[in-house]
Amino acid sequence: MISQQQTQRQQLKILPQQIQLLNLYFLNSLELQQRINNELAENPFLETAEEKETDTADTKSAKDAERDFEDWDEHGYDDTPDYKSEYQNYFDAEVAPNAAIVNVTTFKEDARQQLYLLDINEEDRATAEYIIDILNPQGLMDRPLDEVADDMSFHFQNVIEIETIKRGLAIVQTLEPIGIGSTCIKDCLLLQLYNMNIKRPDVKCAINLLEDHYNDLMHRQFEKLHHILKIDDEELRLVLNLIGSLKFYPVTEAAKHDHKNTIIPDFIITSYGENIQVDLYSSRAGSVFVNQSLYNQLSDQISNKDKTAGQYVKSKLSSAQWFVNAVKQREDTMLRVMKCIVELQREYFIEGDIRLLKPLVLRNVADMSGMDISTISRITSNKYAETHFGLIYLKKLFSEGIADKKGEVISNKVIQSVIDDAISAEDKKHPYTDQEIVNLLSGKGYNIARRTVAKYREQMQIPIAQIRAVWA
């Protein structure tokens, strides 16, 4: 028998323009400028205010061209080489450098150059290049791979599987410096060890120690390690010395001297007593607009019979109008979200004291702003704010809460700050164990378990006391 049934089901559909808008939300100031430049190159109906000023300047230059040409006889045969006068235009005569200026290459640029030399397919190359771009300043991959897959899918407007990300990450981890692309300190150390002579007894033992007994090492269970590894004190000391000699951060020194790695903030947050003002560092909404006159001119030239050309022109105009509106919507949304964050962390932004940072999750901002969590996530990703107490990374403002001895809920960022201060002030030859840090925190009113201290220490990429002692 033939029968009809009515059912209801929820289905989420994301339009291509919504995906593009989410991509715009994710971009920081520099990336947005690059996106605008790309759109200007591809769409003739987009124009900037600078282009109008350039047109005016070109007209004036054309009027002066004849006069400039008339002056040629006066200096056309000057014996002074052109490159010398041009060189001195950039430097004072007394301080002009005698040596060539060194071009500093960032570790990401160097990694991309190595990538171009590999014989891999275009999909893997694009994935590896994307991964290189999102590595942290120490050269580590500190983001979950499923989140990277989602962001890359939005970026390329195509579904990227997590297996593709893993394959691209494996390629990045073959590049130099050894350890680049590691997801944690443990993997960074193992990558370095596997690039040594693994037949050496100390190298083989160190690999075994990190792969199978990492937690015992982190918790200083040395008696247990003696029994498991069946080695004496001297052999264990040699293995620990080997581990301590490795780089915990592949490009720490390179990052310190990376002169090109300049961060341009996306927001400026100014405090006037109890009042806080939030502004965009650079607004682009008022400088990009649709060239309607060009559209009118082309519409008059295209005949009604040429439908293909007419449809192309209309699609380009529609794309230009959407992009201009999207840039404005992005900036309006950014300000709205940032103002909610500032209101939720008001005391912190007034005083600049990390101890005033409150527990905050994306849901709190979403509820206050009335926006979706995915929108909040992309607005706060990859963004910085300039404040009177320094430059802050927006993601650092979000943290889970824990209760202290008084029952008050505090941010785990506060605990991490206290741990970092304690380790910075410790005796480097006799560093604090995790249990000793627990005792210090307890004296300050923070009732934290030892395993929690170990977790926070690892999140801050601080090695155990035994290895810190080797560094001293």
Side-chain angles (χ1 to χ4, degrees), residues 274-341:
E274 295 297 320
N275 298 322
I276 303 177
Q277 181 175 336
V278 179
D279 298 295
L280 291 173
Y281 182 83
S282 176
S283 176
R284 301 296 298 167
S287 62
V288 184
F289 55 91
V290 177
N291 192 338
Q292 188 67 38
S293 61
L294 177 61
Y295 172 73
N296 295 335
Q297 181 181 354
L298 290 176
S299 297
D300 294 338
Q301 295 176 358
I302 297 174
S303 64
N304 294 330
K305 294 182 180 180
D306 194 350
K307 294 183 179 180
T308 302
Q311 290 176 352
Y312 174 80
V313 169
K314 288 181 179 179
S315 66
K316 284 295 184 181
L317 177 66
S318 176
S319 177
Q321 290 171 336
W322 176 87
F323 185 75
V324 170
N325 292 331
V327 172
K328 185 179 186 305
Q329 184 176 345
R330 171 188 178 272
E331 294 186 353
D332 291 342
T333 305
M334 285 177 63
L335 282 173
R336 185 175 168 186
V337 169
M338 193 68 235
K339 287 178 180 179
C340 289
I341 294 175

Side-chain angles (χ1 to χ4, degrees), residues 182-228:
S182 302
T183 56
C184 60
I185 291 178
K186 174 185 174 182
D187 290 342
C188 181
L189 299 178
L190 283 171
L191 277 174
Q192 296 173 70
L193 289 171
Y194 276 115
N195 276 272
M196 297 180 180
N197 182 2
I198 59 174
K199 294 182 179 180
R200 279 173 41 186
D202 57 340
V203 175
K204 187 183 297 185
C205 187
I207 292 174
N208 182 26
L209 182 61
L210 288 173
E211 282 189 337
D212 301 330
H213 312 291
Y214 183 73
N215 290 332
D216 293 327
L217 177 63
M218 292 295 103
H219 296 147
R220 297 172 56 85
Q221 302 293 330
F222 298 125
E223 292 297 330
K224 183 177 180 181
L225 292 176
H226 277 300
H227 177 72
I228 295 175

Side-chain angles (χ1 to χ4, degrees), residues 259-432:
H259 300 292
K260 292 186 178 181
N261 191 21
T262 303
I263 295 174
I264 296 180
D266 302 272
F267 302 94
I268 296 179
I269 302 175
T270 311
S271 177
Y272 303 97
E274 295 297 320
N275 298 322
I276 303 177
Q277 181 175 336
V278 179
D279 298 295
L280 291 173
Y281 182 83
S282 176
S283 176
R284 301 296 298 167
S287 62
V288 184
F289 55 91
V290 177
N291 192 338
Q292 188 67 38
S293 61
L294 177 61
Y295 172 73
N296 295 335
Q297 181 181 354
L298 290 176
S299 297
D300 294 338
Q301 295 176 358
I302 297 174
S303 64
N304 294 330
K305 294 182 180 180
D306 194 350
K307 294 183 179 180
T308 302
Q311 290 176 352
Y312 174 80
V313 169
K314 288 181 179 179
S315 66
K316 284 295 184 181
L317 177 66
S318 176
S319 177
Q321 290 171 336
W322 176 87
F323 185 75
V324 170
N325 292 331
V327 172
K328 185 179 186 305
Q329 184 176 345
R330 171 188 178 272
E331 294 186 353
D332 291 342
T333 305
M334 285 177 63
L335 282 173
R336 185 175 168 186
V337 169
M338 193 68 235
K339 287 178 180 179
C340 289
I341 294 175
V342 168
E343 187 61 31
L344 291 168
Q345 300 284 11
R346 185 176 183 80
E347 294 180 0
Y348 169 71
F349 280 105
I350 291 176
E351 299 295 336
D353 188 348
I354 194 172
R355 290 173 296 182
L356 298 176
L357 199 63
K358 297 179 180 178
L360 182 67
V361 294
L362 295 175
R363 170 61 66 186
N364 301 140
V365 183
D367 291 341
M368 187 174 184
S369 63
M371 298 182 183
D372 190 78
I373 289 183
S374 62
T375 299
I376 306 299
S377 176
R378 278 165 174 75
I379 287 292
T380 54
S381 295
N382 202 25
K383 307 286 193 310
Y384 290 83
E386 184 178 300
T387 69
H388 66 91
F389 51 88
L391 203 64
I392 58 172
Y393 184 46
L394 296 192
K395 281 295 185 183
K396 297 292 185 181
L397 298 174
F398 294 88
S399 61
E400 298 292 338
I402 55 178
D404 59 10
K405 288 185 176 180
K406 297 180 181 178
E408 297 178 356
V409 179
I410 57 176
S411 169
N412 57 16
K413 299 292 184 184
V414 176
I415 303 298
Q416 291 180 8
S417 175
V418 176
I419 294 173
D420 187 45
D421 291 343
I423 292 176
S424 298
E426 69 185 0
D427 181 355
K428 302 306 178 184
K429 294 183 179 179
H430 301 90
Y432 293 129

Side-chain angles (χ1 to χ4, degrees), residues 177-178 185 188-189 192 243-252 471:
I178 300 171
I185 291 178
C188 181
L189 299 178
Q192 296 173 70
I243 296 175
S245 68
L246 302 175
K247 286 184 179 180
F248 280 73
Y249 316 107
V251 292
T252 303
W471 282 358

Side-chain angles (χ1 to χ4, degrees), residues 12 34 346 408 434:
L12 178 63
Q34 184 60 49
R346 185 176 183 80
E408 297 178 356
D434 290 344

